[in-house]
Amino acid sequence: MSSPLWDSQAVATQDSPRATRDPLDPRSLPDTRPRDGVLANERLTATLGVVLLLLFAAEGLTILLHVKSTLPIHVFIGMVLVPPVLAKVATTGYRFSRYYLGDPAYVDRGPPMWLLRLVGPFVVLTSVAVLATGIAETVLDPRPAWSELGHKASFVAWFGCMTIHVLGHVRKTPALASADWRTSTKVAGRGARVAIVAGSIMGGLLLGLWSLGWHLPTPRG
């Protein structure tokens, strides 16, 4: 979903000016601060989050249907996931750095709720671990024992972290992801955001097509 290290709708105190600001409205940030960059990053992160949620759901379906018979599809989707995951890590990492380096526009948005701030880094780490161990388990021959164990363990950890992450952002993500298509909430750079999302998907599809030619190992168990 949207950034695990940043919550654009963080709870603010009644005396804080953030309490009355709409995170989807470009006018919600002071005119004296760079606002488009913050909002553009939020929208891009949310859109990538929706893409990843759908892809991970499809990947989970291949497990439920029995990964032995759906292994080529499982690997294909796993490879498609790689570029969008990297893109989302980049957007969340940028927002994280801008906030903690004291960029006024990002600081004005406020910090995430403590639980999302705590689980955010683990969402990133476990997502990367699931993909890395899955690729290692597929391409290394002979397949090392650590790759299978690591893939299963990282998946369990990822599922727990992702559940918290999704529930924490489920309310605001659809609005952020669709904001670029509503005429009343335009923010500069929509074309670039569309290009980044589309490019990450296309890059993933190319990786997925490449994986179709791999000699896949026979699943154990």
Side-chain angles (χ1 to χ4, degrees), residues 126-212:
T126 56
S127 296
V128 172
V130 167
L131 293 176
T133 54
I135 293 172
E137 189 176 9
T138 302
V139 302
L140 295 182
D141 186 21
R143 181 173 49 174
W146 62 260
S147 64
E148 182 175 9
L149 177 61
H151 192 54
K152 291 179 178 178
S154 59
F155 172 78
V156 172
W158 170 86
F159 187 82
C161 294
M162 185 58 69
T163 298
I164 297 172
H165 177 65
V166 170
L167 292 177
H169 293 286
V170 67
R171 182 173 65 88
K172 73 179 187 304
T173 294
L176 283 169
S178 64
D180 275 336
W181 309 104
R182 288 183 275 119
T183 57
S184 61
T185 57
K186 287 185 177 179
V187 172
R190 184 177 72 169
R193 292 190 291 279
V194 171
I196 290 172
V197 174
S200 69
I201 295 173
M202 289 300 299
L205 289 173
L206 290 175
L207 289 177
L209 290 173
W210 177 42
S211 75
L212 294 178

Side-chain angles (χ1 to χ4, degrees), residues 44-57:
L44 176 58
T45 302
T47 304
L48 288 168
V50 170
V51 170
L52 288 174
L53 182 62
L54 294 174
L55 288 173
F56 273 120

Side-chain angles (χ1 to χ4, degrees), residues 24 33 35 40 69-70 98 102:
L24 303 179
R33 295 178 179 178
R35 57 197 180 190
S69 60
T70 59
R98 297 316 303 162

Side-chain angles (χ1 to χ4, degrees), residues 33-168:
R33 295 178 179 178
R35 57 197 180 190
D36 278 8
V38 179
L39 296 168
N41 194 288
E42 288 178 358
R43 294 180 181 189
L44 176 58
T45 302
T47 304
L48 288 168
V50 170
V51 170
L52 288 174
L53 182 62
L54 294 174
L55 288 173
F56 273 120
E59 187 78 319
L61 185 60
T62 65
I63 298 175
L64 293 176
L65 293 176
H66 208 303
V67 73
K68 286 185 179 181
S69 60
T70 59
L71 184 58
I73 300 174
H74 185 81
V75 173
F76 177 86
I77 298 174
M79 296 304 292
V80 173
L81 276 161
V82 172
V85 165
L86 293 178
K88 190 166 185 291
V89 169
T91 62
T92 56
Y94 180 80
R95 298 173 79 171
F96 175 89
S97 64
R98 297 316 303 162
Y99 176 79
Y100 285 102
L101 288 174
D103 186 305
Y106 285 89
V107 171
D108 188 72
R109 285 311 233 188
M113 64 178 289
W114 69 269
L115 182 58
L116 296 179
R117 199 184 326 179
L118 178 65
V119 78
F122 294 101
V123 171
V124 173
L125 291 174
T126 56
S127 296
V128 172
V130 167
L131 293 176
T133 54
I135 293 172
E137 189 176 9
T138 302
V139 302
L140 295 182
D141 186 21
R143 181 173 49 174
W146 62 260
S147 64
E148 182 175 9
L149 177 61
H151 192 54
K152 291 179 178 178
S154 59
F155 172 78
V156 172
W158 170 86
F159 187 82
C161 294
M162 185 58 69
T163 298
I164 297 172
H165 177 65
V166 170
L167 292 177

